[in-house]
Amino acid sequence: MILCECGEIIDGGTFKDFIKTSSNPSTPTIGHDKCGYIFNFIDNKMYRKYSSRKELKTIAIRYAEKKKIGENDIERYLMEVDRMKSNGNSSDCEILINAYMRLQSSNGVK
Ligand SMILES: [Zn+2]
């Protein structure tokens, strides 16, 4: 999963491009249609992006909408995200995905 600089989860809606990276002067990559941000998978540390608590909440809400998390679950999802954020030093992506999986599995046993 890719988290764009604009805070959206990339799920399709990308264009192909070539950029200069430390490994190759013409490295194939993708960009985000919506905001135009071009990813640098070689040099970028976006997988280890750490947003503030407030930013993360905004991203989590977008993510929840994209994943079609229902109204009943979204509160629990956000709480889970918040709990993981205060618990350790996971990156944004790890938190979003882990909280989602936790929600899924708790829904599975009801
Ligand atoms: Zn974007």
Side-chain angles (χ1 to χ4, degrees):
M1 191 183 87
I2 309 168
L3 190 61
C4 185
E5 285 291 308
C6 69
E8 277 202 22
I9 312 290
I10 305 290
D11 185 16
T14 56
F15 58 87
K16 291 204 171 80
D17 206 347
F18 292 88
I19 52 163
K20 187 171 183 281
T21 66
S22 53
S23 80
N24 191 319
S26 181
T27 307
T29 186
I30 58 164
H32 189 200
D33 275 344
K34 209 160 177 182
C35 68
Y37 182 79
I38 293 169
F39 295 98
N40 180 340
F41 294 104
I42 312 291
D43 303 320
N44 208 329
K45 294 175 188 70
M46 69 184 161
Y47 289 109
R48 302 234 57 93
K49 194 178 176 217
Y50 300 91
S51 298
S52 74
R53 196 173 215 139
K54 210 175 135 204
E55 282 166 346
L56 185 64
K57 192 178 176 189
T58 311
I59 298 169
I61 290 171
R62 282 202 201 124
Y63 182 73
E65 282 169 359
K66 205 146 221 169
K67 285 287 180 188
K68 309 230 181 304
I69 296 176
E71 269 179 45
N72 297 332
D73 289 335
I74 198 161
E75 200 67 20
R76 274 200 301 146
Y77 179 67
L78 292 177
M79 268 166 57
E80 192 64 41
V81 167
D82 205 49
R83 198 184 58 81
M84 284 182 181
K85 178 73 182 170
S86 38
N87 256 358
N89 34 22
S90 306
S91 71
D92 293 0
C93 277
E94 286 167 338
I95 292 175
L96 293 178
I97 293 170
N98 287 335
Y100 182 65
M101 289 195 319
R102 210 171 268 249
L103 185 71
Q104 295 289 82
S105 61
S106 69
N107 278 348
V109 292
K110 80 178 168 194

